[in-house]
Coordinates of all heavy atoms in Angstrom, one line a residue:
M28 N 59.4 -48.6 -10.2 CA 58.1 -48.0 -9.8 C 58.4 -46.7 -8.8 O 58.0 -45.7 -8.9 CB 57.4 -48.9 -9.1 CG 55.9 -49.2 -9.4 SD 55.3 -48.5 -11.1 CE 53.8 -49.1 -10.9
E29 N 59.4 -47.1 -7.9 CA 59.8 -46.1 -6.8 C 60.5 -45.0 -7.5 O 60.4 -43.7 -7.1 CB 60.6 -46.7 -5.8 CG 60.8 -45.8 -4.5 CD 61.5 -46.5 -3.3 OE1 61.0 -47.7 -3.0 OE2 62.5 -46.1 -3.0
A30 N 61.2 -45.3 -8.5 CA 62.0 -44.2 -9.2 C 61.1 -43.3 -10.0 O 61.3 -42.1 -10.0 CB 63.1 -44.8 -10.2
D31 N 60.0 -43.8 -10.7 CA 59.1 -42.9 -11.2 C 58.4 -42.1 -10.2 O 58.2 -40.8 -10.6 CB 58.0 -43.9 -11.9 CG 58.5 -44.6 -13.1 OD1 59.5 -44.2 -13.6 OD2 57.9 -45.7 -13.5
A32 N 58.1 -42.4 -9.1 CA 57.4 -41.7 -8.1 C 58.4 -40.5 -7.7 O 58.0 -39.4 -7.5 CB 57.1 -42.5 -6.7
S33 N 59.6 -40.8 -7.5 CA 60.8 -39.8 -7.1 C 60.8 -38.8 -8.2 O 60.9 -37.6 -8.0 CB 62.0 -40.5 -6.9 OG 62.0 -41.2 -5.8
V34 N 60.8 -39.2 -9.5 CA 61.0 -38.3 -10.6 C 59.7 -37.4 -10.7 O 59.8 -36.2 -10.8 CB 61.2 -39.0 -11.9 CG1 61.1 -38.1 -13.2 CG2 62.7 -39.8 -12.0
D35 N 58.6 -38.0 -10.6 CA 57.4 -37.3 -10.5 C 57.2 -36.2 -9.4 O 56.8 -35.1 -9.6 CB 56.1 -38.2 -10.4 CG 54.9 -37.5 -10.7 OD1 54.8 -36.8 -11.7 OD2 53.8 -37.9 -10.1
M36 N 57.7 -36.5 -8.1 CA 57.7 -35.7 -7.1 C 58.7 -34.5 -7.4 O 58.4 -33.3 -7.2 CB 58.0 -36.3 -5.8 CG 57.9 -35.4 -4.6 SD 58.2 -35.9 -2.9 CE 58.8 -37.6 -3.0
F37 N 59.8 -34.8 -7.9 CA 61.0 -33.9 -8.1 C 60.4 -32.9 -9.3 O 60.6 -31.6 -9.2 CB 62.2 -34.6 -8.7 CG 63.2 -33.6 -9.1 CD1 64.0 -32.9 -8.1 CD2 63.5 -33.4 -10.4 CE1 65.0 -32.1 -8.5 CE2 64.5 -32.4 -10.8 CZ 65.1 -31.8 -9.8
S38 N 59.7 -33.5 -10.2 CA 59.1 -32.6 -11.3 C 58.1 -31.7 -10.8 O 58.1 -30.5 -11.2 CB 58.5 -33.5 -12.4 OG 59.4 -34.2 -13.2
K39 N 57.3 -32.1 -9.9 CA 56.2 -31.3 -9.3 C 56.8 -30.0 -8.4 O 56.4 -28.9 -8.4 CB 55.3 -32.1 -8.5 CG 54.4 -32.9 -9.3 CD 53.3 -33.6 -8.5 CE 52.4 -34.4 -9.6 NZ 51.4 -35.2 -8.8
V40 N 57.9 -30.4 -7.7 CA 58.7 -29.5 -6.8 C 59.3 -28.4 -7.8 O 59.2 -27.3 -7.6 CB 59.7 -30.1 -5.9 CG1 60.5 -29.2 -5.2 CG2 58.8 -31.1 -4.8
L41 N 60.0 -29.0 -8.7 CA 60.6 -28.1 -9.7 C 59.6 -27.1 -10.4 O 59.8 -25.9 -10.5 CB 61.4 -28.9 -10.8 CG 62.3 -28.1 -11.7 CD1 63.3 -27.4 -11.0 CD2 62.9 -29.1 -12.7
E42 N 58.5 -27.7 -10.8 CA 57.5 -26.9 -11.4 C 57.0 -25.8 -10.5 O 56.8 -24.6 -10.8 CB 56.3 -27.8 -12.0 CG 55.2 -27.0 -12.7 CD 54.0 -27.9 -12.9 OE1 54.1 -29.1 -12.7 OE2 53.0 -27.4 -13.4
H43 N 56.7 -26.2 -9.3 CA 56.2 -25.2 -8.2 C 57.3 -24.1 -8.1 O 56.9 -22.9 -8.0 CB 56.1 -26.0 -7.0 CG 55.5 -24.9 -5.8 ND1 54.3 -24.4 -5.8 CD2 56.2 -24.5 -4.7 CE1 54.3 -23.6 -4.7 NE2 55.4 -23.7 -4.1
Q44 N 58.5 -24.4 -7.9 CA 59.7 -23.4 -7.7 C 59.7 -22.5 -9.0 O 59.9 -21.3 -8.9 CB 60.9 -24.0 -7.4 CG 61.2 -24.7 -6.2 CD 61.0 -23.8 -5.0 OE1 61.4 -22.6 -5.0 NE2 60.3 -24.2 -3.9
L45 N 59.6 -23.1 -10.1 CA 59.6 -22.4 -11.3 C 58.5 -21.3 -11.4 O 58.7 -20.1 -11.8 CB 59.7 -23.2 -12.5 CG 60.0 -22.7 -13.8 CD1 61.4 -22.0 -13.8 CD2 60.0 -23.7 -14.9
L46 N 57.3 -21.7 -11.1 CA 56.1 -20.8 -11.0 C 56.3 -19.8 -10.0 O 56.0 -18.5 -10.3 CB 54.9 -21.7 -10.7 CG 54.4 -22.5 -11.9 CD1 53.2 -23.4 -11.4 CD2 53.9 -21.7 -13.0
Q47 N 56.8 -20.1 -8.9 CA 57.1 -19.0 -7.9 C 58.1 -18.0 -8.4 O 57.9 -16.9 -8.2 CB 57.5 -19.7 -6.6 CG 56.4 -20.5 -5.9 CD 55.3 -19.6 -5.4 OE1 54.3 -19.6 -6.1 NE2 55.5 -18.9 -4.4
T48 N 59.1 -18.4 -8.9 CA 60.2 -17.5 -9.5 C 59.6 -16.6 -10.6 O 59.8 -15.6 -10.6 CB 61.4 -18.3 -10.0 OG1 61.9 -19.2 -8.9 CG2 62.6 -17.5 -10.5
T49 N 58.9 -17.2 -11.4 CA 58.3 -16.5 -12.4 C 57.3 -15.4 -12.0 O 57.3 -14.3 -12.5 CB 57.5 -17.5 -13.5 OG1 58.4 -18.5 -14.0 CG2 56.9 -16.7 -14.7
K50 N 56.5 -15.7 -11.0 CA 55.6 -14.7 -10.4 C 56.4 -13.6 -9.7 O 56.0 -12.5 -9.9 CB 54.6 -15.5 -9.3 CG 53.7 -16.3 -9.9 CD 52.9 -16.9 -8.8 CE 51.9 -17.9 -9.3 NZ 51.1 -18.5 -8.3
L51 N 57.4 -14.0 -9.1 CA 58.3 -12.8 -8.4 C 58.9 -12.0 -9.6 O 58.9 -10.7 -9.4 CB 59.4 -13.5 -7.6 CG 59.0 -14.1 -6.3 CD1 60.2 -14.7 -5.6 CD2 58.4 -13.0 -5.4
V52 N 59.5 -12.6 -10.5 CA 60.0 -11.7 -11.6 C 58.9 -10.8 -12.3 O 59.1 -9.8 -12.6 CB 60.7 -12.7 -12.7 CG1 61.1 -12.0 -14.0 CG2 61.9 -13.4 -12.1
E53 N 57.7 -11.5 -12.6 CA 56.7 -10.8 -13.2 C 56.2 -9.4 -12.3 O 56.0 -8.4 -12.8 CB 55.5 -11.7 -13.4 CG 54.3 -11.0 -14.1 CD 53.1 -11.8 -14.5 OE1 53.1 -12.9 -13.8 OE2 52.4 -11.5 -15.2
E54 N 56.2 -9.7 -10.9 CA 55.8 -8.6 -10.0 C 56.8 -7.7 -10.0 O 56.5 -6.4 -10.1 CB 55.6 -9.3 -8.6 CG 54.4 -10.1 -8.4 CD 54.3 -10.8 -7.1 OE1 55.2 -10.4 -6.3 OE2 53.4 -11.6 -6.8
H55 N 58.1 -7.9 -10.2 CA 59.2 -7.0 -10.2 C 59.1 -6.1 -11.5 O 59.2 -4.8 -11.5 CB 60.5 -7.6 -10.1 CG 61.7 -6.7 -10.2 ND1 62.0 -5.8 -9.1 CD2 62.6 -6.5 -11.1 CE1 63.0 -5.2 -9.5 NE2 63.4 -5.5 -10.8
L56 N 58.9 -6.7 -12.6 CA 58.8 -6.2 -14.0 C 57.6 -5.1 -13.9 O 57.7 -4.1 -14.5 CB 58.7 -7.1 -15.0 CG 59.9 -7.8 -15.4 CD1 59.7 -9.0 -16.4 CD2 61.1 -7.0 -15.9
D57 N 56.4 -5.6 -13.3 CA 55.2 -4.7 -13.3 C 55.6 -3.6 -12.5 O 55.0 -2.5 -12.8 CB 54.1 -5.7 -12.8 CG 53.5 -6.6 -13.6 OD1 53.7 -6.5 -14.8 OD2 52.6 -7.5 -13.1
S58 N 56.2 -3.6 -11.4 CA 56.6 -2.6 -10.5 C 57.5 -1.6 -11.3 O 57.2 -0.4 -11.3 CB 57.2 -3.0 -9.3 OG 57.8 -2.0 -8.5
E59 N 58.4 -2.1 -12.0 CA 59.3 -1.2 -12.8 C 58.6 -0.4 -13.9 O 58.8 0.7 -14.1 CB 60.5 -2.0 -13.4 CG 61.6 -2.6 -12.4 CD 62.3 -1.4 -11.7 OE1 62.7 -0.5 -12.3 OE2 62.4 -1.5 -10.3
I60 N 57.7 -1.2 -14.6 CA 56.9 -0.6 -15.7 C 56.0 0.5 -15.0 O 55.9 1.5 -15.6 CB 56.1 -1.7 -16.3 CG1 57.0 -2.6 -17.2 CG2 54.9 -1.0 -17.2 CD1 56.2 -3.7 -17.7
Q61 N 55.4 0.3 -13.9 CA 54.6 1.3 -13.2 C 55.5 2.5 -12.9 O 55.1 3.6 -13.1 CB 54.0 0.7 -12.1 CG 53.0 1.6 -11.3 CD 52.3 1.1 -10.1 OE1 52.7 0.0 -9.6 NE2 51.2 1.6 -9.6
K62 N 56.6 2.4 -12.4 CA 57.5 3.5 -12.1 C 57.8 4.3 -13.2 O 57.8 5.5 -13.3 CB 58.9 3.0 -11.4 CG 58.8 2.6 -10.1 CD 60.2 2.3 -9.6 CE 60.4 1.2 -8.6 NZ 61.8 0.9 -8.2
L63 N 58.2 3.6 -14.4 CA 58.4 4.2 -15.7 C 57.2 5.0 -16.2 O 57.3 6.1 -16.8 CB 58.9 3.3 -16.8 CG 60.4 2.7 -16.5 CD1 60.6 1.6 -17.4 CD2 61.5 3.8 -16.5
D64 N 56.1 4.4 -16.1 CA 54.8 5.1 -16.5 C 54.6 6.4 -15.7 O 54.0 7.3 -16.3 CB 53.6 4.1 -16.2 CG 53.5 3.1 -17.4 OD1 54.3 3.2 -18.6 OD2 52.9 2.0 -17.3
Q65 N 54.9 6.4 -14.6 CA 54.7 7.6 -13.7 C 55.7 8.7 -13.8 O 55.6 9.8 -13.2 CB 54.5 7.2 -12.1 CG 53.3 6.3 -11.9 CD 53.3 5.7 -10.5 OE1 54.2 6.0 -9.8 NE2 52.2 5.1 -10.2
M66 N 56.7 8.4 -14.4 CA 57.8 9.4 -14.7 C 57.5 10.5 -15.6 O 56.8 10.3 -16.6 CB 59.1 8.8 -15.3 CG 59.9 8.0 -14.2 SD 61.5 7.4 -15.0 CE 62.3 6.8 -13.7
D67 N 58.0 11.7 -15.3 CA 57.7 12.8 -16.3 C 58.8 13.0 -17.2 O 59.9 12.1 -17.1 CB 57.4 14.2 -15.5 CG 58.6 14.7 -14.7 OD1 59.7 14.1 -14.8 OD2 58.4 15.5 -13.8
E68 N 58.8 13.9 -18.2 CA 59.9 14.0 -19.1 C 61.3 14.3 -18.5 O 62.2 13.8 -19.0 CB 59.4 15.2 -20.2 CG 58.3 14.8 -21.0 CD 58.6 13.6 -21.9 OE1 59.7 13.5 -22.4 OE2 57.8 12.7 -22.0
D69 N 61.3 15.1 -17.5 CA 62.5 15.5 -16.8 C 63.1 14.3 -16.2 O 64.4 14.1 -16.3 CB 62.4 16.6 -15.8 CG 62.0 18.0 -16.5 OD1 62.4 18.2 -17.6 OD2 61.5 18.7 -15.7
E70 N 62.3 13.5 -15.6 CA 62.9 12.3 -15.0 C 63.4 11.2 -16.1 O 64.5 10.6 -15.8 CB 61.8 11.5 -14.1 CG 61.5 12.5 -12.8 CD 60.3 11.8 -12.0 OE1 59.3 11.6 -12.7 OE2 60.5 11.6 -10.9
L71 N 62.6 11.1 -17.1 CA 63.0 10.3 -18.2 C 64.5 10.7 -18.8 O 65.3 9.9 -19.0 CB 62.0 10.1 -19.2 CG 60.8 9.4 -18.8 CD1 59.7 9.4 -19.8 CD2 61.1 7.8 -18.6
E72 N 64.5 12.0 -18.9 CA 65.8 12.6 -19.4 C 67.0 12.4 -18.5 O 68.0 12.0 -19.0 CB 65.5 14.1 -19.7 CG 66.7 14.7 -20.7 CD 66.7 14.1 -21.9 OE1 65.7 13.7 -22.5 OE2 67.9 14.0 -22.5
R73 N 66.7 12.4 -17.2 CA 67.8 12.2 -16.2 C 68.2 10.7 -16.4 O 69.4 10.4 -16.3 CB 67.4 12.6 -14.9 CG 67.5 14.1 -14.6 CD 67.2 14.4 -13.2 NE 66.1 14.1 -12.6 CZ 64.9 14.7 -12.6 NH1 64.9 16.0 -13.1 NH2 63.9 14.4 -12.0
L74 N 67.3 9.8 -16.4 CA 67.4 8.4 -16.5 C 68.3 8.1 -17.8 O 69.2 7.4 -17.8 CB 66.2 7.6 -16.4 CG 66.2 6.2 -16.4 CD1 66.9 5.7 -15.2 CD2 64.9 5.5 -16.6
K75 N 67.9 8.7 -18.9 CA 68.6 8.6 -20.0 C 70.0 8.9 -20.0 O 70.9 8.3 -20.5 CB 67.8 9.2 -21.3 CG 68.5 9.1 -22.6 CD 67.6 9.9 -23.5 CE 68.3 10.0 -25.0 NZ 67.6 10.9 -25.9
E76 N 70.3 10.2 -19.5 CA 71.6 10.6 -19.3 C 72.5 9.8 -18.4 O 73.6 9.5 -18.7 CB 71.5 12.2 -18.8 CG 72.9 12.9 -18.8 CD 73.5 12.9 -20.2 OE1 72.8 13.2 -21.1 OE2 74.8 12.8 -20.2
K77 N 71.9 9.3 -17.2 CA 72.6 8.5 -16.4 C 73.0 7.1 -17.1 O 74.1 6.7 -16.9 CB 71.8 8.1 -15.1 CG 72.4 7.3 -14.1 CD 71.4 7.2 -13.0 CE 72.0 6.1 -12.0 NZ 71.2 5.9 -10.8
R78 N 72.1 6.7 -17.9 CA 72.4 5.6 -18.7 C 73.5 5.7 -19.7 O 74.3 4.8 -19.8 CB 71.3 4.8 -19.3 CG 71.4 3.7 -20.1 CD 71.7 2.4 -19.3 NE 71.9 1.3 -20.1 CZ 72.9 0.5 -19.9 NH1 73.8 0.6 -18.9 NH2 73.0 -0.6 -20.8
L79 N 73.5 6.8 -20.4 CA 74.4 7.2 -21.3 C 75.9 7.3 -20.7 O 77.0 6.8 -21.2 CB 74.2 8.5 -22.1 CG 73.1 8.2 -23.1 CD1 72.7 9.7 -23.7 CD2 73.6 7.5 -24.4
Q80 N 75.9 7.9 -19.5 CA 77.2 8.1 -18.8 C 77.7 6.7 -18.4 O 78.8 6.5 -18.5 CB 77.0 8.9 -17.6 CG 76.9 10.4 -17.9 CD 76.5 11.1 -16.5 OE1 76.3 10.6 -15.6 NE2 76.3 12.5 -16.9
A81 N 76.8 5.8 -18.0 CA 77.3 4.5 -17.7 C 77.9 3.7 -18.9 O 78.9 3.0 -18.8 CB 76.1 3.6 -17.0
L82 N 77.2 3.8 -19.9 CA 77.8 3.3 -21.2 C 79.1 3.8 -21.6 O 80.0 3.0 -22.1 CB 76.7 3.5 -22.3 CG 75.5 2.6 -22.2 CD1 74.4 3.0 -23.3 CD2 75.7 1.0 -22.4
R83 N 79.2 5.1 -21.6 CA 80.4 5.7 -22.0 C 81.6 5.3 -21.0 O 82.7 5.0 -21.4 CB 80.4 7.3 -21.8 CG 79.5 8.0 -22.9 CD 79.5 9.5 -22.8 NE 78.5 9.9 -23.8 CZ 77.5 10.8 -23.3 NH1 77.3 11.1 -22.2 NH2 76.7 11.1 -24.4
K84 N 81.2 5.1 -19.7 CA 82.2 4.7 -18.7 C 82.7 3.4 -19.1 O 83.8 3.0 -18.9 CB 81.7 4.8 -17.3 CG 82.7 4.4 -16.3 CD 82.2 4.7 -14.8 CE 83.3 4.3 -13.8 NZ 82.7 4.5 -12.5
A85 N 81.7 2.4 -19.3 CA 82.0 1.0 -19.6 C 82.9 1.0 -20.9 O 83.7 0.2 -21.0 CB 80.6 0.3 -19.9
Q86 N 82.5 1.8 -21.9 CA 83.4 1.8 -23.2 C 84.7 2.2 -23.0 O 85.7 1.7 -23.4 CB 82.7 2.6 -24.3 CG 83.4 2.7 -25.5 CD 83.4 1.4 -26.2 OE1 82.6 0.5 -26.1 NE2 84.5 1.2 -27.0
Q87 N 84.9 3.2 -22.1 CA 86.3 3.7 -21.7 C 87.1 2.7 -21.1 O 88.2 2.5 -21.3 CB 86.0 5.0 -20.8 CG 87.3 5.7 -20.6 CD 87.0 7.1 -20.0 OE1 86.2 7.1 -19.0 NE2 87.8 8.1 -20.2
Q88 N 86.4 2.0 -20.0 CA 87.1 1.0 -19.3 C 87.6 -0.1 -20.3 O 88.7 -0.7 -20.2 CB 86.1 0.3 -18.2 CG 86.0 1.2 -17.0 CD 87.2 1.4 -16.1 OE1 88.0 0.6 -16.2 NE2 87.4 2.6 -15.5
K89 N 86.7 -0.5 -21.2 CA 87.0 -1.5 -22.2 C 88.2 -1.1 -23.1 O 89.1 -1.9 -23.3 CB 85.9 -1.6 -23.1 CG 86.0 -2.9 -24.0 CD 84.7 -3.0 -25.0 CE 84.7 -4.2 -25.8 NZ 83.6 -4.2 -26.6
Q90 N 88.3 0.2 -23.4 CA 89.4 0.6 -24.2 C 90.7 0.6 -23.4 O 91.8 0.2 -23.8 CB 89.2 2.1 -24.7 CG 88.1 2.1 -25.8 CD 87.9 3.5 -26.2 OE1 88.1 4.5 -25.5 NE2 87.2 3.7 -27.4
V91 N 90.7 1.0 -22.0 CA 91.7 1.0 -21.3 C 92.3 -0.3 -20.9 O 93.5 -0.7 -20.9 CB 91.4 1.7 -19.9 CG1 92.5 1.6 -18.8 CG2 91.3 3.2 -20.0
T92 N 91.4 -1.4 -20.9 CA 91.7 -2.8 -20.5 C 92.4 -3.3 -21.8 O 93.4 -4.0 -21.7 CB 90.5 -3.5 -20.3 OG1 89.8 -2.9 -19.1 CG2 90.8 -4.9 -19.9
S93 N 92.0 -2.9 -23.0 CA 92.5 -3.6 -24.2 C 93.9 -2.8 -24.6 O 94.7 -3.3 -25.4 CB 91.6 -3.6 -25.3 OG 91.2 -2.2 -25.7
L94 N 94.2 -1.6 -24.0 CA 95.4 -0.9 -24.3 C 96.7 -1.8 -24.1 O 97.5 -1.7 -24.9 CB 95.4 0.4 -23.6 CG 96.5 1.4 -24.0 CD1 96.4 1.8 -25.5 CD2 96.4 2.7 -23.1
P95 N 96.7 -2.3 -22.9 CA 98.1 -3.0 -22.7 C 98.3 -4.1 -23.8 O 99.5 -4.4 -24.1 CB 97.9 -3.7 -21.4 CG 96.9 -2.7 -20.6 CD 96.0 -2.3 -21.8
C96 N 97.3 -4.9 -24.2 CA 97.4 -6.0 -25.2 C 98.0 -5.3 -26.5 O 98.7 -5.9 -27.3 CB 96.1 -6.7 -25.5 SG 95.5 -7.6 -24.1
F97 N 97.4 -4.1 -26.9 CA 97.8 -3.3 -28.1 C 99.3 -3.1 -27.9 O 100.0 -3.2 -28.9 CB 96.8 -2.1 -28.3 CG 97.3 -1.3 -29.4 CD1 97.1 -1.7 -30.6 CD2 97.9 -0.1 -29.3 CE1 97.5 -0.9 -31.8 CE2 98.5 0.7 -30.3 CZ 98.1 0.3 -31.6
L98 N 99.7 -2.5 -26.8 CA 101.1 -2.1 -26.7 C 102.1 -3.2 -26.9 O 103.1 -3.1 -27.2 CB 101.3 -1.3 -25.4 CG 100.5 0.0 -25.2 CD1 100.7 0.5 -23.8 CD2 101.0 1.0 -26.4
K99 N 101.6 -4.4 -26.3 CA 102.5 -5.6 -26.4 C 102.7 -6.0 -27.9 O 103.7 -6.6 -28.2 CB 101.8 -6.8 -25.8 CG 101.8 -6.7 -24.4 CD 101.3 -7.9 -23.6 CE 101.2 -7.7 -22.2 NZ 100.5 -8.9 -21.4
L100 N 101.9 -5.6 -28.8 CA 101.9 -6.0 -30.2 C 103.0 -5.1 -30.9 O 103.5 -5.4 -31.9 CB 100.5 -6.0 -30.9 CG 99.5 -6.9 -30.5 CD1 98.2 -6.5 -31.2 CD2 100.0 -8.3 -30.8
L101 N 103.3 -3.9 -30.3 CA 104.1 -2.9 -30.9 C 105.5 -3.3 -30.6 O 106.3 -3.9 -30.4 CB 103.9 -1.5 -30.4 CG 102.6 -0.9 -30.7 CD1 102.4 0.5 -30.1 CD2 102.5 -0.7 -32.3

């Protein structure tokens, strides 16, 4: 009986924490969506270019990292 009460209390606490976390994430996403909605074309283009540069840099790092493994095969 006592174990059931502990499990029930734990479940309620976990549910509460999960709801709180979900609300925080939702608020953050709403804020980000609002920022994007308020951007003009120039700002969106700068954001796109910044993201493309980050992707290119990540790809370049990936290639540099895999280069020593390739050289060992030769």
